Amino acid sequence: MITVTETAVRPAPQQRGGVAQSVGDSLVVAKRNLIRMTRIPEMVIFGLIQPVMFVVLFSYVFGGSMVVDGSTSPQEYREFLMAGIFAQTVTFATAGAGAGIADDMHKGLIDRFRSLPMARGAVLTGRTLADLVQTALTLVVLAVVALLVGWRIHEGVPKAIAAFGLLLLLGYAFSWIGALIGLSVRTPEAATSGGLIWLFPVTFISNAFVPTEGMTPWIRHIAEWNPFSATVQACRELFGNPGVVDSPAWPMRHPVWASILFSLVILIVFRTLAVRKYRSATA
């Protein structure tokens, strides 16, 4: 007697579209990097210590010697300073992003990702999203420290949230510069050095730590058209902090729109370059 058994035919898994696959793969890579951060807590701790040190040192060392809106009050300078420290913190995270990608390249992890059926840009997008989460956590801690040293917001919570949104947008845009640097060098050490070399002039030739009125005219012109300065100016305006200058430069007159525009241009340009570099580097 012959018994015929019927086997159920399982439907083939539904293929996701290009955008859906890219988003899903990016979130998986981001989750992987966030789990890695929790297993190496010193990465987060050291990332928090540096900006806190900047707040304390700048506030109490330079607080009584800076003139802001005609006043030498330490309280005035602390409120002036914090937008610059916030912006510096989100941009300095760029060096860590570049070093992380360079480390993954050096260890061959990127080659393993290439063997999987996943979107090419997802590796970089997932990494930058994980760095964005870490940056947001750092900003929360930094805001608490700022409140403890005397910083205050004067334009309400919604505008303060909008200011932090601009900061995160700037940090995310700059993280793609770090990604491009990380893909362009051979070691994590070189990525860290390369990530800091250009960050120092960007953050210090700006309105972050001193008013631009006392600068040499040509330096002031550069500082006021610096995308970093636009975000700092926008945050001071939204926080209601001192130091909002009346300047003929367009980014200083319309800082919120300038911050959004500059950040989006940086994001689009450097994401395109980084993904192209990733494809050529792993081809």
Side-chain angles (χ1 to χ4, degrees):
M1 180 177 179
I2 300 175
T3 303
V4 179
T5 59
E6 295 182 357
T7 58
V9 179
R10 296 181 180 180
Q14 185 176 3
Q15 296 293 326
R16 294 177 295 173
V19 175
Q21 180 181 4
S22 180
V23 172
D25 293 343
S26 299
L27 293 177
V28 170
V29 176
K31 181 180 178 181
R32 172 256 175 192
N33 282 282
L34 289 173
I35 292 174
R36 180 171 177 265
M37 289 177 186
T38 61
R39 293 176 179 174
I40 312 176
E42 55 268 25
M43 292 175 58
V44 179
I45 294 172
F46 291 152
L48 293 173
I49 291 175
Q50 180 179 340
V52 170
M53 288 178 60
F54 272 110
V55 171
V56 175
L57 290 175
F58 274 83
S59 297
Y60 292 101
V61 174
F62 299 108
S65 59
M66 295 292 182
V67 179
V68 178
D69 292 347
S71 172
T72 57
S73 167
Q75 177 64 24
E76 288 285 314
Y77 182 68
R78 286 169 195 159
E79 293 202 0
F80 169 87
L81 173 70
M82 284 316 306
I85 294 292
F86 289 146
Q88 184 194 50
T89 300
V90 300
T91 53
F92 269 45
T94 301
I101 291 174
D103 187 50
D104 288 344
M105 291 281 291
H106 183 68
K107 292 179 178 178
L109 183 63
I110 300 297
D111 291 332
R112 276 174 262 169
F113 279 134
R114 286 185 64 224
S115 66
L116 301 175
M118 62 188 301
R120 284 293 182 92
V123 175
L124 301 180
T125 303
R127 174 74 204 200
T128 53
L129 288 176
D131 290 330
L132 182 64
V133 173
Q134 183 178 359
T135 300
L137 174 63
T138 303
L139 277 181
V140 171
V141 175
L142 194 56
V144 173
V145 175
L147 290 171
L148 293 176
V149 300
W151 172 70
R152 296 292 183 268
I153 59 174
H154 305 283
E155 295 292 333
V157 174
K159 287 189 176 182
I161 293 174
F164 284 114
L166 292 178
L167 289 166
L168 291 176
L169 177 61
L170 179 72
Y172 185 65
F174 272 45
S175 69
W176 283 98
I177 303 178
L180 180 61
I181 294 173
L183 292 168
S184 302
V185 298
R186 297 182 180 180
T187 64
E189 293 80 8
T192 302
S193 300
L196 291 175
I197 287 174
W198 66 273
L199 278 173
F200 276 104
V202 166
T203 54
F204 281 93
I205 305 178
S206 71
N207 59 355
F209 308 113
V210 296
T212 57
E213 291 93 330
M215 295 181 179
T216 304
W218 66 272
I219 293 182
R220 177 180 179 178
H221 185 73
I222 294 174
E224 291 181 341
W225 280 89
N226 184 347
F228 181 84
S229 294
T231 299
V232 173
Q233 179 87 340
C235 289
R236 286 184 182 134
E237 187 176 281
L238 293 170
F239 290 143
N241 292 156
V244 178
V245 299
D246 184 14
S247 169
W250 181 81
M252 297 295 100
R253 296 181 67 87
H254 308 280
V256 174
W257 290 110
S259 176
I260 295 173
L261 177 62
F262 285 149
S263 295
L264 290 178
V265 169
I266 292 170
L267 173 59
I268 293 170
V269 170
F270 282 94
R271 187 187 189 280
T272 302
L273 293 175
V275 172
R276 185 178 299 173
K277 182 69 177 178
Y278 170 79
R279 288 173 177 171
S280 63
T282 59

